[in-house]
Each structure stands twice: as structure tokens, then as C-alpha cells.
Amino acid sequence: MTRLGLTGGIASGKSTVARMLAARGATVIDADAISRSVTASGGAAIEAIRAAFGPSFITPQGELDRNRMRDLAFSDPAARERLQAIVHPLVQAGMLEAAAA
């Protein structure tokens, strides 16, 4: 099995290429979608984020307050590393699970 990773900046064509590959029968595993799912209400990262950053980083709906976290993560490299330490292993696990399926 061949595995490809699509990376690039905003509007660089990653989604377009992923759609083209999917149209030709490739299985596409979207790390961004997995990341959004683990930080959504009830997601696997929510309680760890709450513990690491406090309840103000979780919305009343129970999801990551992306705007608040974005502000912190871009202004504080240590906070960004803490967030990545929580989210990245969950995303990797989701990608491995999807690949196995």
C-alpha cells in the first residue's frame, strides 16, 4: 500500500488534491477532521484541555473555544506545545485507526 501525506499552507490545494485522489478510489484520512472531532463536544481531548488550560477554554456547548485557544497558542509557544501534546497523539491514533479500517 502506498501512503501519501498532503501538506501545505492555506489555499495551497490540499483539499483539491485529496478530492482528486478520492475520485480515483484512494482512501483519504483527514487529520484536520480528526483534530476537530477530538476537540468537539464530547471529544477525547476536551477533559485534558480543560485540565491543562482551565474551563474558560471550553465553550458552554462543551467544545474547544478555538478563538480563545488560537490567541493563546500564537502568543505563547509553551501553551501551543501543551495543546499539541494533548491533541497530536489523539489525531495520530485516529489516523492509525482509520488506516487499519
Side-chain angles (χ1 to χ4, degrees), residues 81-92:
E81 288 178 17
R82 283 194 333 252
L83 178 64
Q84 290 172 341
I86 294 167
V87 174
H88 286 184
L90 295 170
V91 172
Q92 182 179 17

Side-chain angles (χ1 to χ4, degrees), residues 33-81:
I34 296 168
S35 177
R36 285 188 298 276
S37 75
V38 302
T39 59
S41 180
I46 293 301
E47 290 311 314
I49 292 170
R50 186 187 324 270
F53 296 98
S56 65
F57 284 87
I58 307 301
T59 69
Q61 294 76 30
E63 61 193 15
L64 172 65
D65 185 331
R66 291 182 158 317
N67 291 330
R68 186 176 181 100
M69 184 59 77
R70 184 179 306 112
D71 290 344
L72 177 64
F74 281 110
S75 67
D76 182 347
R80 181 173 49 251
E81 288 178 17

